[in-house]
Amino acid sequence: MSEQPGRPGPRGEPVALELDCREVPCPMPVIELARHLGDVEVGELLAVVARDPAAAVDVPAWCRMKDQEFVGADTAGDGAPRYVVRRLG
Amino acid sequence: MTGRGDLDSASSAPLHPAAREVLLAAVDRGYADPRRLHRAGREARLLLDNAREATADALGVRPDEVTFTPSGTHAVHLGLLGLVRGSRRGDVVVHSAVEHSAVRHAVAWGARAAEVSCDRHGRVDVDALAQAALAPEVGVVALQTANHEVATVQPVDELELPDGVPLFTDACASMGRLPLPGGWAAAAGSAHKWGGPAGVGLLLVRKRARWRNPFPGDDRVDERSTGFENVPAVLAAAASLQAVVAERAEAGTRQHELVDVVRRRVAAEVPDVEVVGDPERRLPHLATFSFLYVDGEALVTELDRRGFGIASGSACTASTLTPSHVLEAMGVLTHGNVRLSLQRDTTRADVDAFCDVLPALVAELRARVGM
């Protein structure tokens, strides 16, 4: 799994860290998100790229349960689904 | 014989003791063709008619509104598609996003779908459903009595549909356990979910409903049914339904309280869990949870090793690798999902035993992935 800055988020904001979870099944994308939340500053964006269809529901649900902001879904450079989160705490 | 930890009655309940006795007696008495005029045929016909009357009586419908089918799924297909076929308005079916896959497959096969969403508890807005029903070519509305995965009871009684748009209600999850709502033209049930034998479904079609057989017909006692009747099984299903209805005031209250215990204990004792479904307006016997960072299949497997049989709606446990469409429509966590459903004899000690093992087990599974 690679971790690097991603292309800008849905409103043009920079994405500080993008997690490559393209090939891992649920619940790994959400687990990676939780592991790396602390790697970005409060207020910054963190994204996870995941092809697993469960991520579309589970990333927003994780944000709700863990009091983080789900910014939205877009796509990574290669067209894979990407889910963008703002660290609130 | 049910193990104390078998907590998956919503997938299939063991045979009710009342059904067992009737089934054994009827196997010898009800083998013949109920259409035949000889003695054995008349005997089978008598048992079939008895089953129909007992079922109608237990559900508060007319005997001629009751059809026995080879499964609950078939009853759903027949009931829903028969209303579509009888419609003068069109073949669009407005249905909730949380209907059972039997409804979704029927619509995909023989109609066109218009889906209406639900809230976080899986509850459908009846006004949105009624509004969608006004669209041109809507022939039928489908709304379940209660959800099979998350227990939420739907406000079927509050639904007011436009003239000429009948309601199909999938009552498989609630039949016997809760009274039938009103307002439907056709309904379906499934005997193995109330402690009858598998292989018996129930189709109810109201006397004045515009229902036309969507499949090839047959020449049976009941014109809506096809194939040779399984008279012993049907009679056992009816006996079980009667028994469950007779017990439900007591059993429903007791189970509702036990599920309250499970919901409360799990929420208090396991961190990062989503307790899913309506806390109050729900089926009495069913509780659903999603545990963050937990693989649903691993949880089911580990619980089985400790003697607990429960179901999961997580994608990792399904053949399709897509998450449960019900959890998805509700917007709740789809991974780490388990559904526990009580048996008629499940006790407080049984649910406490489940709640006692859960926190350490979930912690162990999380530790395996470094959480």
Side-chain angles (χ1 to χ4, degrees):
Chain A
M1 203 197 72
S2 76
E3 302 148 28
Q4 56 191 10
R7 63 177 184 177
R11 289 186 289 272
E13 269 185 87
V15 168
L17 182 62
E18 183 177 284
L19 308 171
D20 176 10
C21 291
R22 282 176 180 76
E23 307 308 329
V24 294
C26 80
M28 287 313 291
V30 168
I31 290 173
E32 290 303 324
L33 206 47
R35 276 187 186 142
H36 292 279
L37 182 68
D39 296 350
V40 302
E41 299 298 322
V42 172
E44 282 186 336
L45 299 188
L46 168 71
V48 60
V49 182
R51 296 192 202 277
D52 190 313
V57 185
D58 286 1
V59 174
W62 176 83
C63 290
R64 180 166 46 75
M65 291 171 76
K66 303 303 286 181
D67 298 320
Q68 307 300 325
E69 181 191 343
F70 179 65
V71 176
D74 58 9
T75 51
D78 63 349
R82 185 177 80 156
Y83 307 94
V84 183
V85 171
R86 185 190 312 281
R87 182 180 171 195
L88 296 181
Chain B
M1 186 70 194
T2 329
R4 302 307 311 170
D6 178 353
L7 298 172
D8 193 16
S9 65
S11 291
S12 194
L15 207 56
H16 192 287
R20 171 177 295 275
E21 284 170 35
V22 168
L23 183 62
L24 291 176
V27 163
D28 290 328
R29 286 181 61 202
Y31 65 90
D33 186 340
R35 291 172 306 173
R36 300 294 171 230
L37 299 178
H38 48 63
R39 185 191 182 99
R42 290 198 311 272
E43 179 78 2
R45 177 63 190 265
L46 182 70
L47 297 183
L48 184 60
D49 289 347
N50 283 351
R52 199 185 311 282
E53 274 164 36
T55 301
D57 185 55
L59 296 175
V61 301
R62 298 165 47 126
D64 60 359
E65 294 174 330
V66 173
T67 295
F68 298 107
T69 67
S71 70
T73 301
H74 190 60
V76 166
H77 294 172
L78 265 179
L80 177 56
L81 293 171
L83 291 178
V84 171
R85 187 134 193 252
S87 171
R88 292 192 178 101
R89 291 182 92 232
D91 66 347
V92 173
V93 175
V94 170
H95 67 82
S96 84
V98 292
E99 294 301 307
H100 190 276
S101 58
V103 168
R104 299 165 71 90
H105 287 308
V107 172
W109 183 82
R112 287 179 292 156
E115 198 170 281
V116 172
S117 62
C118 63
D119 67 12
R120 183 65 42 75
H121 285 323
R123 200 171 163 87
V124 177
D125 178 352
V126 286
D127 293 334
L129 214 52
Q131 190 63 36
L134 290 170
E137 296 181 53
V138 171
V140 181
V141 168
L143 178 61
Q144 61 198 186
T145 54
N147 188 270
H148 52 291
E149 281 185 46
V150 303
T152 298
V153 169
Q154 303 294 354
V156 176
D157 276 324
E158 297 164 27
L159 188 58
E160 287 183 28
L161 293 177
D163 288 343
V165 181
L167 174 68
F168 170 77
T169 191
D170 167 13
C172 289
S174 71
M175 194 170 275
R177 300 173 187 277
L178 300 176
L180 276 176
W184 47 269
S190 180
H192 73 105
K193 291 180 189 291
W194 72 65
V200 180
L202 202 56
L203 167 66
L204 306 175
V205 178
R206 283 295 193 206
K207 193 68 188 155
R208 280 192 292 277
R210 282 186 57 82
W211 183 91
R212 303 290 178 270
N213 197 335
F215 303 135
D218 200 356
D219 302 305
R220 297 292 156 187
V221 172
D222 174 349
E223 63 180 17
R224 286 189 291 262
S225 75
T226 50
F228 191 85
E229 298 89 347
N230 186 347
V231 173
V234 155
L235 194 66
S240 175
L241 185 63
Q242 279 186 313
V244 167
V245 167
E247 290 166 359
R248 82 172 159 216
E250 181 277 326
T253 307
R254 177 167 47 79
Q255 292 185 327
H256 202 280
E257 284 169 9
L258 288 176
V259 165
D260 273 343
V261 169
V262 179
R263 289 176 66 106
R264 202 168 50 239
R265 281 200 60 185
V266 171
E269 296 172 34
V270 184
D272 293 330
V273 61
E274 185 147 55
V275 182
V276 178
D278 197 299
E280 286 303 321
R281 290 174 296 187
R282 58 168 171 80
L283 293 170
H285 65 303
L286 198 158
T288 306
F289 309 97
S290 290
F291 300 97
L292 209 48
Y293 315 131
V294 171
D295 176 87
E297 183 178 4
L299 188 51
V300 167
T301 305
E302 289 301 326
L303 281 166
D304 180 55
R305 285 181 56 196
R306 287 157 177 79
F308 297 99
I310 52 154
S312 171
S314 292
C316 359
T317 62
S319 51
T320 54
L321 291 178
T322 53
S324 145
H325 69 268
V326 171
L327 302 176
E328 195 173 11
M330 293 165 68
V332 300
L333 201 65
T334 71
H335 72 249
N337 177 265
V338 293
R339 180 191 70 184
L340 163 156
S341 46
L342 308 182
Q343 304 289 356
R344 54 189 290 277
D345 58 355
T346 300
T347 62
R348 171 68 193 250
D350 298 329
V351 303
D352 275 338
F354 173 81
C355 294
D356 288 344
V357 305
L358 201 60
L361 181 51
V362 169
E364 182 193 318
L365 291 172
R366 285 173 174 162
R368 281 189 203 171
V369 291
M371 298 303 294

